[in-house]
């Protein structure tokens, strides 16, 4: 599916049915040459601009009627004055730079609000809407799955800040919830992605005339997502670092931020280590007194630590940078042509400092800067360099060191942010932040490459949104009248075309082994490119130059020095010197350059700066063509970067250059979402009952045209079902005019507005919810029945097992009862014998002096044990038989003789407790209470509680959570 940014969703059904007709009418009036129609258009414009109080309410410029540069500019101006900086412009988002911090505009709460919203496009325009739509496109897995967010605009328009906000948004919403939320650990991939920004900006951004934080390189950041759309890694691709800025800074501009951070943020100990005492000035640090927000050395150091650059590596990096600054103070004085140039007295000290910081021999460094080596066959000849050549070699050394250090940093950052071995990324969201269009007083090869990159991005925007969409409308049979737009293909043909172009002529001139001549090169350009209307020359100018008509305006380029910069020669003796460095990092950076130099030496083909940049840019464009692009146009309201200052001339020039007005026209009248028939049925076929007819491969044997003819009725049926289910008017049936405004079926694709896509997605979501609910019901019913059957089976098994256990226990009790009966009979016989013996000995008791017995005890047949009376339990017979009505009583008994003493001890239970005697009963104990067995009769077992209390055949859950039933088996009533 091809989709636009969510800002296009503002064109809802109501606005399309009302305003769209008037917008189409305006198109016809603009194209007409009759004066009356022109007057009518002017009247509509004036009528629209009268109600100025309502202009700030236009969140989407497609609602503006009529759409003209004047009305669009006025809406942006009013919204800017109301501190509303984001506005939808059809398929793009327009962002006006406020040039001041806006509180709570990019806070964490705002991120969560847009991320959790069911329809983010219903919120106010924001960069987070674009980010969220790209993220949801990845979640939906609709082709193309991978997304690209292209942030374009002039230098100072706010591209870097916008890219920073996008990275922070994805690091927040795509973070894994299982990861511990600690902002101080290196393992957090989200933290590493965010910490790459301060380092990249410190080493790649600089303060220019148009922007205090201008990107002097291009970068494309791939945020890698796994199957769950969680952020697992990232990678950075860089393009054309402006390394010439290290040794040559334009007037009133500064070097890269990192040098000023070191100067202003280093401690006294670090200054001593870097040979940078207080008060020392450096030739390559102009405008050092100017302070910008990016001069934060501590933030850069903390980001290095979080990314895993240890203190030792940091020291090596800063020593290299300090050595580069010391090189800038080395100056040469000219002498005789046959002798090497001399160094100023103060320059010798600077050269020694540079050599010490770079860890290379000072003598060899001095020789390499003043003497060059020429090879004639197998022999090497040393030739002294002129003063200008010495300065060039010095600058070349500084540039090559800084460029290779920057490449090492990018590689280290990529290794730090790459996905772990346990995480595999499947899709990505790319963020493109390139240098903006530049036009200075003096423009050279750097500005030509930068503007060429912007031309390529503009051409991609034109091809994707303006030209391709309109051509596809015509091919698919839609009624469409072409909207005119500015096509920059002619300018691109001038710069990179074949067989003859600026780049081809520049590369050819650079490969010639002869001194560059700017005058001759200009003559050749006039001869070869005179037929191209996008290039011109000022014949009265004394300096060789050419002027290119870019999409954003004309730029005058100086030819002087352009060929040398394109060659970008690095003397091999300088590389050999750096390979001998004792600085581990510097040695590592240049260790693999020896093989490269040996391989390329002697070849006639030279890899120029233009060739490398063009190749890398082509790979970038290939990525953009294979992803779904989302464009954000950053606008610079005024050239002086003043807060909340709106200059109409500045803004209208940028709007016309990037084709915003044409984009609004096409977005308002067109269908931004296009889906092939098969993909449409595959996703939305479940809304009807015909999905089984369109399985994958069902029409693989048919021709493409026949397949589309077969699928067309199913597509129409799906659309009809969805539209008829929406009560958008008095009647549920929609008329054909409204139908055509929301959706149109072409020959091979379905063309939809964002409103129609929302209807389809909501309908699909409801159907999926119903199907999921039905599946859940069936599954829960199956689980419930299965659990019920298992419960019944378990209950039956329990009942059988318990009944078997009871039967076995009863059998054991019967056996035990028989044994007890036998023992009891023997014991009873013994007790009878003992009782007889006691009765026979009663006469002996009469002769002794015995205490008077208690009358009650005498009636019960009890005897006096001693003078001490204690509560006891009687257990034996015959005393138990005599005292049956008194289970616990104090008795007195006098026993003499061994036989009587044993009889007394056998008859009493005396459990001691705290020096007392306590009667114990068995009424509250489980198990067998008593056994009654009469000779020759049945045996009765008495239980306190039944062992089959919980044996339930048909269990049921009561309030106490216990299972009870009606099969409780009791052998006899509980005592």
């Amino acid at each position: 599916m091809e989709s636009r940014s969510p800002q296009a969703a503002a064109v809802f059904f109501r606005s399309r049915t009302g305003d769209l007709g008037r917008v189409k009418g305006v198109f016809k009036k603009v194209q007409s040459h009759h004066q009356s129609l022109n007057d009518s258009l002017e009247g509509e414009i004036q009528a629209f601009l009268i109600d100025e109080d309502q202009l700030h309410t236009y969140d989407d410029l497609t609602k503006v009627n009529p759409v003209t540069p004047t009305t669009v500019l006025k809406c942006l101006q009013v919204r800017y004055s109301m501190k509303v900086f984001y506005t939808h412009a059809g398929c793009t988002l327009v962002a006006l730079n406020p040039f001041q911090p806006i509180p709570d505009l990019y806070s964490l709460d705002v991120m969560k609000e847009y991320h959790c919203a069911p329809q983010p496009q219903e919120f106010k325009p924001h960069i987070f809407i674009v980010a969220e739509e790209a993220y949801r496109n990845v979640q939906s897995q609709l082709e193309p799955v991978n997304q690209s967010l292209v942030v374009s605009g002039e230098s100072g328009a706010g591209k870097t800040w916008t890219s920073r906000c996008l990275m922070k948004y994805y690091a927040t919403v795509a973070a894994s919830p299982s990861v511990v939320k600690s902002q101080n650990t290196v393992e957090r991939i989200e933290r590493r992605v965010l910490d790459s920004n301060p380092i990249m900006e410190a080493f790649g951004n600089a303060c220019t005339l148009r922007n205090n934080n201008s990107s002097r390189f291009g970068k494309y950041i791939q945020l890698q997502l796994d199957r769950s759309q969680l952020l697992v890694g990232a990678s950075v691709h860089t393009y054309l670092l402006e390394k010439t800025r290290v040794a040559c800074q334009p007037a009133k501009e500064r070097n890269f931020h990192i040098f000023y951070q070191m100067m202003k943020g280093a401690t006294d100990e670090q200054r001593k280590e870097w040979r940078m005492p207080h008060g020392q000035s450096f030739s390559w640090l102009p405008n050092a007194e100017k302070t910008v927000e990016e001069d934060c050395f501590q933030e850069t150091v903390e980001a290095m630590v979080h990314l895993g650059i240890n203190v030792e590596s940091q020291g090596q990096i800063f020593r290299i940078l300090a050595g580069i600054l010391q090189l800038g103070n080395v100056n040469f004085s000219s002498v005789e042509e046959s002798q090497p140039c001399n160094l100023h007295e103060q320059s010798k000290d600077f050269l020694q400092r540079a050599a010490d910081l770079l860890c290379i021999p000072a003598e060899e460094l001095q020789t390499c800067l003043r003497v060059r080596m020429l090879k004639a066959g197998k022999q090497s000849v040393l030739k002294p360099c002129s003063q200008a050549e010495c300065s060039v070699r010095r600058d070349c050394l500084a540039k090559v060191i800084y460029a290779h250090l920057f490449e090492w940093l990018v590689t280290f950052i990529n290794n730090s942010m790459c996905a772990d071995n346990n995480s595999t990324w499947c899709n990505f969201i790319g963020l493109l932040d390139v240098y903006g269009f530049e036009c200075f007083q003096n423009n050279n090869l750097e500005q030509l490459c930068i503007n060429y990159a912007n031309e390529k991005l503009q051409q991609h925007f034109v091809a994707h949104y303006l030209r391709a969409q309109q051509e596809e409308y015509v091919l698919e049979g839609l009624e469409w009248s072409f909207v005119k737009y500015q096509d920059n293909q002619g300018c691109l043909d001038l710069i990179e075309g074949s067989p003859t172009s600026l780049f081809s002529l520049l590369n050819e001139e650079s490969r010639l082994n002869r001194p560059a001549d700017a005058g001759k090169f200009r003559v050749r350009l006039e001869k070869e490119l005179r037929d191209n209307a996008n290039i011109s020359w000022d014949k009265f100018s004394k300096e060789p130059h050419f002027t290119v008509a870019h999409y954003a305006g004309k730029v005058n380029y100086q030819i002087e020095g352009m060929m040398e910069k394109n060659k970008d020669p690095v003397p091999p003796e300088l590389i050999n010197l750096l390979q001998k460095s004792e600085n581990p990092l510097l040695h590592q950076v240049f260790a693999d350059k020896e093989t490269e130099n040996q391989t390329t030496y002697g070849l006639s083909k030279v890899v120029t700066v233009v060739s490398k940049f063009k190749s890398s840019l082509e790979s970038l464009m290939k990525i953009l063509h294979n992803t779904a692009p989302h464009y954000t146009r950053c606008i610079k309201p005024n050239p002086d970067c003043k807060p909340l200052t709106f200059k109409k001339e500045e803004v209208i020039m940028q709007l016309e250059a990037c084709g915003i007005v044409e984009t609004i026209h096409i977005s308002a009248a067109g269908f931004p979402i296009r889906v092939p028939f098969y993909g449409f049925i595959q996703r939305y076929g479940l809304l009807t009952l015909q999905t089984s007819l369109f399985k994958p491969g069902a029409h693989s044997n048919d021709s493409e045209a026949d397949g589309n003819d077969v699928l067309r009725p199913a597509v129409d049926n799906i659309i009809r079902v969805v539209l008829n289910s929406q009560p958008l008017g008095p009647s549920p049936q929609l008329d054909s005019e409204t139908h055509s405004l929301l959706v149109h079926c072409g020959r091979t694709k379905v063309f939809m507005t964002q409103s129609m896509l929302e209807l389809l997605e909501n309908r699909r979501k409801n159907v999926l919810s119903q199907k999921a609910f039905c599946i859940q019901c069936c599954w829960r019913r199956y689980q419930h029945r299965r659990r019920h059957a298992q419960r019944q089976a378990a209950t039956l098994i329990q009942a059988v097992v318990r009944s078997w256990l009871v039967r076995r226990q009863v059998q054991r009790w019967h056996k035990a009862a028989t044994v007890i009966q036998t023992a009891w009979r023997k014991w009873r016989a013994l007790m009878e014998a003992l009782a007889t013996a006691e009765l026979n000995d009663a006469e002996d008791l009469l002769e002794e002096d015995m205490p008077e017995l208690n009358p009650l005890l005498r009636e019960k047949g009890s005897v006096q044990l001693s003078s001490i009376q204690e509560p006891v339990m009687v257990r034996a017979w015959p005393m138990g038989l005599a005292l049956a009505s008194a289970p616990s009583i104090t008795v007195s008994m006098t026993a003499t003789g061994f036989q009587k003493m044993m009889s007394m001890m056998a008859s009493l239970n005396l459990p001691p407790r705290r020096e007392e005697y306590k009667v114990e009963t068995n009424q509250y104990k489980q198990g067998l209470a008593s056994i009654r067995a009469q000779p020759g009769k049945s045996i009765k077992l008495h239980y306190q509680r039944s062992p089959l209390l919980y044996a339930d055949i048909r269990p049921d859950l009561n309030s106490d959570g216990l299972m009870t039933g009606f099969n409780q088996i009791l052998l006899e009533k509980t005592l």
Side-chain angles (χ1 to χ4, degrees):
M1 176 183 290
E2 300 179 18
S3 177
R4 63 171 177 177
S5 302
Q7 52 268 36
V11 188
F12 294 112
F13 172 76
R14 184 175 299 174
S15 63
R16 297 190 61 86
T17 54
D19 296 339
L20 189 58
R22 293 194 296 271
V23 172
K24 289 184 176 180
V26 172
F27 294 163
K28 297 179 181 179
K29 296 173 185 178
V30 171
Q31 295 173 357
S32 177
H33 297 285
H34 296 288
Q35 186 64 34
S36 59
L37 296 181
N38 291 336
D39 294 341
S40 177
L41 177 60
E42 291 295 332
E44 290 187 16
I45 294 175
Q46 295 300 326
F48 177 80
L49 297 179
I50 287 177
D51 194 5
E52 186 173 342
D53 296 337
Q54 298 297 323
L55 294 182
H56 70 279
T57 61
Y58 287 88
D59 292 340
D60 196 326
L61 296 177
T62 56
K63 299 179 181 179
V64 174
N65 183 30
V67 179
T68 64
T70 303
T71 56
V72 171
L73 179 66
K74 190 61 178 178
C75 284
L76 292 177
Q77 183 181 10
V78 174
R79 290 176 63 83
Y80 190 74
S81 63
M82 301 293 293
K83 295 185 178 182
V84 181
F85 308 107
Y86 291 104
T87 306
H88 296 315
C91 54
T92 64
L93 179 69
V94 177
L96 294 170
N97 193 344
F99 292 116
Q100 69 176 16
I102 305 299
D104 299 329
L105 186 58
Y106 307 98
S107 63
L108 185 62
D109 294 336
V110 176
M111 294 182 188
K112 292 181 180 180
E113 182 180 3
Y114 280 91
H115 178 61
C116 300
Q119 299 294 337
Q121 59 269 20
E122 297 179 2
F123 287 67
K124 293 182 179 180
H126 202 287
I127 187 62
F128 294 157
I129 292 182
V130 182
E132 182 61 24
E133 189 210 10
Y135 187 69
R136 295 191 182 187
N137 286 351
V138 176
Q139 290 179 323
S140 64
Q141 292 293 301
L142 293 177
E143 292 295 337
V145 180
N146 298 326
Q147 310 289 310
S148 289
L149 278 66
V150 183
V151 183
S152 60
E154 289 193 3
S155 179
K159 301 183 300 300
T160 301
W161 173 260
T162 302
S163 300
R164 191 186 306 172
C165 293
L166 290 171
M167 292 181 64
K168 186 176 181 181
Y169 182 83
Y170 288 121
T172 302
V173 303
S176 175
S178 61
V179 178
V180 179
K181 297 298 180 182
S182 173
Q183 294 295 331
N184 299 321
T185 174
V186 178
E187 285 71 23
R188 281 288 306 273
I189 184 62
E190 300 87 0
R191 180 66 180 270
R192 282 178 273 172
V193 169
L194 295 179
D195 284 331
S196 65
N197 262 334
I199 299 178
M200 300 293 288
E201 292 183 13
F203 284 83
N205 290 19
C207 179
T208 64
L209 291 174
R210 299 179 62 85
N211 186 8
N212 288 341
N213 190 29
S214 177
S215 298
R216 308 320 299 165
F217 72 105
K219 63 177 180 290
Y220 184 76
I221 304 173
Q222 280 189 351
L223 302 178
Q224 301 161 354
L225 307 175
D226 61 5
R227 294 184 181 275
S228 301
Q229 288 77 49
L230 300 178
L231 186 62
V232 296
S235 63
V236 181
H237 305 275
T238 59
Y239 307 95
L240 190 65
L241 174 69
E242 189 188 13
K243 58 184 179 181
T244 56
R245 182 171 291 269
V246 175
C248 180
Q249 303 80 34
K252 297 183 181 180
E253 294 191 2
R254 301 203 317 174
N255 209 324
F256 290 104
H257 291 323
I258 186 62
F259 295 111
Y260 298 93
Q261 292 179 3
M262 293 173 58
M263 285 287 295
K264 299 179 180 181
T267 62
D268 294 339
E269 183 180 353
Q270 290 173 332
R271 282 181 171 274
K272 183 178 180 181
E273 180 185 357
W274 302 338
R275 307 286 184 88
M276 298 170 58
H278 289 282
Q280 181 180 355
S281 61
F282 294 95
S283 301
W284 288 350
L285 289 186
N287 303 312
E289 69 283 353
K290 183 177 181 179
T291 301
V292 296
E293 183 181 355
E294 288 70 25
D295 291 343
C296 185
F297 181 65
Q298 190 61 33
E299 182 180 358
T300 303
V301 173
E302 291 178 358
M304 287 182 172
V305 173
H306 294 156
L307 284 173
I309 304 178
N310 53 37
V311 178
E312 183 179 359
S313 298
Q314 292 178 30
Q316 296 170 9
I317 292 173
F318 295 135
R319 285 176 63 87
I320 294 173
L321 296 175
I324 292 175
L325 290 180
Q326 299 292 345
L327 275 178
N329 287 353
V330 176
N331 296 314
F332 303 92
S333 59
S334 59
V335 292
E336 296 181 3
E337 185 177 353
S338 60
Q339 297 296 327
C341 295
N342 293 329
L343 289 174
H344 296 160
E345 290 299 328
Q346 193 175 5
S347 296
K348 293 180 180 179
D349 182 39
F350 290 134
L351 187 137
Q352 183 63 44
R353 293 182 186 180
D356 294 341
L357 291 169
L358 298 176
C359 299
I360 55 178
E363 296 78 8
E364 295 187 24
L365 175 60
Q366 183 175 350
T367 302
C368 291
L369 294 180
R370 299 192 305 163
V371 180
R372 60 177 176 170
M373 182 182 299
L374 302 177
K375 287 191 175 182
K378 297 182 179 181
Q379 295 182 354
S380 298
V381 180
L382 299 178
K383 181 181 179 182
C385 298
S386 63
Q387 182 181 3
E389 290 174 343
C390 290
S391 299
V392 170
R393 293 170 75 87
R394 175 203 61 196
D395 297 348
C396 180
L397 178 63
K399 291 187 294 183
V400 72
I401 292 175
Y402 192 85
H404 284 81
L405 179 62
F406 185 80
E407 292 178 3
W408 179 88
L409 277 173
V410 173
T411 303
F412 188 93
I413 291 174
N414 286 335
N415 294 334
S416 176
M417 297 190 303
C418 65
D420 300 333
N421 296 330
N422 299 330
S423 302
T424 303
W425 65 277
C426 305
N427 306 112
F428 68 86
I429 298 177
L431 307 180
L432 180 61
D433 177 19
V434 296
Y435 9 59
F437 185 84
E438 293 184 350
C439 179
F440 301 121
Q441 186 174 0
N442 295 318
N443 303 284
N444 211 284
L445 182 66
E446 296 84 3
Q447 281 68 42
L448 179 61
C449 292
I450 289 174
N451 294 337
Y452 164 65
N454 283 272
E455 289 283 354
K456 292 289 288 185
L457 293 177
Q458 177 65 16
Q459 194 260 353
H460 176 265
F461 175 79
V462 169
H464 184 79
Y465 282 121
L466 303 183
R467 180 173 63 243
Q469 286 193 14
Q470 297 191 84
E471 292 177 353
E472 189 173 20
Y473 291 158
V474 176
L475 291 176
E476 291 290 333
L478 276 73
E479 295 183 3
W480 184 262
S481 57
F482 273 87
V483 177
K484 294 183 179 180
Y485 56 89
Q486 181 182 357
D487 194 351
N488 65 334
Q489 187 60 48
C491 184
L492 283 174
D493 293 339
L494 168 68
I495 298 176
E496 64 170 1
S498 179
T500 304
S501 63
L502 279 175
F503 281 176
S504 64
L505 295 176
L506 190 58
N507 288 335
E508 183 178 345
E509 189 71 21
S510 300
R511 295 190 180 104
L512 297 177
N513 190 13
R514 66 183 183 187
D517 191 330
K520 292 182 179 180
F521 184 67
R522 175 192 167 177
V523 173
R524 188 176 183 191
L525 289 178
E526 293 185 20
K527 179 181 178 181
E528 299 290 344
L529 304 175
R530 61 178 179 270
D531 296 333
N532 196 306
N534 292 280
I535 189 172
S536 59
W537 298 268
D538 184 4
K539 297 182 180 180
F540 300 100
S541 177
K542 296 181 180 179
E543 297 181 358
H545 75 285
F546 60 89
T547 302
V548 177
H550 292 283
Y551 76 94
K554 294 184 177 182
V555 180
N556 186 21
Y557 298 97
Q558 280 70 36
I559 301 178
E560 191 67 40
M562 188 173 288
M563 279 76 74
E564 288 79 3
K565 291 182 179 180
N566 190 37
K567 292 178 183 179
D568 194 23
V570 180
E573 52 268 26
L574 295 181
I575 300 296
N576 296 333
L577 176 63
L578 294 174
Q579 290 173 349
K580 300 177 183 178
S581 173
E582 297 180 1
N583 185 312
L585 178 58
L586 192 60
H587 178 76
Q588 175 188 350
V589 168
F590 288 93
D592 55 347
K593 296 300 176 183
E594 183 178 358
T595 305
E596 179 181 346
N597 292 336
Q598 292 178 355
T599 304
T600 59
Y601 175 73
L603 297 178
S604 59
K605 185 176 180 179
V606 179
V607 181
T608 61
V609 172
V610 165
S611 299
K612 291 188 292 186
F613 182 68
K614 182 181 177 182
S615 176
S616 61
L617 195 59
E618 287 177 351
S619 64
L620 171 63
M621 300 309 298
K622 185 177 180 180
I623 295 176
L624 294 181
H625 283 297
N626 293 329
T627 57
H630 305 263
Y631 270 88
T632 300
R633 295 291 191 179
C634 296
I635 302 297
K636 189 176 183 180
N638 64 87
D640 302 323
C641 302
K642 294 182 179 180
L644 300 178
T645 302
F646 193 92
K647 298 290 185 182
K648 293 183 179 180
E649 299 79 7
E650 183 80 9
V651 176
I652 193 63
M653 184 174 60
Q654 298 176 59
L655 293 177
E656 292 177 348
C658 59
I660 289 295
V661 178
E662 293 82 358
T663 303
I664 297 172
H665 278 300
I666 297 174
S667 298
F671 300 90
I673 302 170
R674 306 178 294 278
V675 187
F677 283 167
Y678 181 77
F680 185 86
I681 295 177
Q682 192 175 23
R683 183 166 181 83
Y684 303 111
L686 55 86
L687 303 182
T688 61
L689 301 179
Q690 302 177 357
T691 56
S692 60
L693 301 176
F694 305 99
K695 297 180 180 179
H699 304 282
S700 57
N701 297 328
D702 299 336
S703 64
E704 183 177 359
D706 295 339
N708 291 326
D709 293 339
V710 173
L711 298 178
R712 177 65 180 268
V715 172
D716 292 336
N717 186 32
I718 295 173
I719 295 174
R720 183 174 59 256
V721 169
V722 173
L723 292 178
N724 291 340
S725 65
Q726 302 297 325
L728 298 177
S731 173
Q733 301 292 331
L734 297 176
D735 55 11
S736 59
E737 182 180 357
T738 304
H739 182 284
S740 62
L741 291 176
L742 289 175
V743 62
H744 182 86
C745 291
R747 295 186 175 93
T748 62
K749 295 182 179 180
V750 180
F751 295 83
M752 299 179 291
T753 62
Q754 188 71 26
S755 302
M756 185 64 192
L757 179 63
E758 293 172 5
L759 293 178
L760 287 169
E761 289 296 328
N762 291 335
R763 179 70 174 176
R764 181 175 182 269
K765 182 178 179 181
N766 294 335
V767 172
L768 289 177
S769 299
Q770 294 175 359
K771 302 299 182 183
F773 180 76
C774 180
I775 294 173
Q776 288 177 350
C777 292
C778 295
W779 174 247
R780 289 173 178 173
R781 181 171 63 248
Y782 165 76
Q783 285 186 321
H784 179 76
R785 290 178 176 177
R786 184 180 179 183
R787 285 195 298 267
H788 181 69
Q790 291 176 346
R791 191 185 304 113
Q792 286 185 333
T795 303
L796 181 61
I797 293 172
Q798 288 176 357
V800 172
V801 171
R802 287 172 178 171
S803 62
W804 175 79
L805 291 174
V806 168
R807 287 195 299 271
R808 189 180 69 169
Q809 185 69 20
V810 169
Q811 291 175 0
R812 292 178 61 186
W813 286 342
H814 276 281
K815 292 179 181 180
T818 304
V819 174
I820 293 172
Q821 281 179 343
T822 304
W824 183 75
R825 290 189 185 103
K826 293 180 179 180
W827 179 81
R828 187 175 64 176
L830 179 61
M831 291 297 103
E832 289 176 353
L834 292 175
T836 303
E838 289 180 355
L839 293 176
N840 293 333
D841 294 338
E843 297 177 357
D844 298 337
L845 296 175
L846 296 175
E847 299 177 358
E848 298 180 1
D849 234 351
M850 298 180 60
E852 180 92 17
L853 293 177
N854 191 309
L856 179 62
L857 296 177
R858 182 179 293 110
E859 292 177 4
K860 295 294 185 179
S862 301
V863 294
Q864 182 71 38
L865 176 62
S866 64
S867 60
I868 301 175
Q869 299 180 2
E870 298 290 342
V872 298
M873 176 186 289
V874 180
R875 301 177 62 189
W877 185 91
M879 286 189 292
L881 182 62
L883 303 176
S885 62
S888 177
I889 194 169
T890 301
V891 299
S892 297
M893 177 178 178
T894 301
T896 60
F898 177 76
Q899 182 180 8
K900 293 181 180 181
M901 184 63 66
M902 293 299 295
S903 175
M904 181 270 295
M905 295 298 294
S907 302
L908 300 176
N909 180 24
L910 306 173
R913 182 180 182 187
R914 294 182 182 179
E915 300 180 355
E916 296 178 357
Y917 293 97
K918 182 179 179 181
V919 176
E920 292 184 357
T921 63
N922 56 5
Q923 296 178 3
Y924 299 98
K925 295 181 180 179
Q926 283 187 334
L928 189 65
S930 64
I931 300 178
R932 298 180 183 179
Q934 299 178 3
K937 294 183 179 180
S938 62
I939 299 174
K940 294 184 179 181
L941 306 178
H942 294 259
Y943 298 93
Q944 293 174 349
R945 293 191 182 185
S946 173
L948 303 181
L949 181 63
Y950 303 104
D952 302 330
I953 297 301
R954 299 182 64 83
D956 189 14
L957 188 64
N958 60 15
S959 60
D960 295 333
L962 300 176
M963 305 299 295
T964 60
F966 299 100
N967 65 328
Q968 197 172 24
I969 301 174
L970 299 177
L971 299 179
E972 190 171 333
K973 182 179 179 181
T974 301
L975 293 179

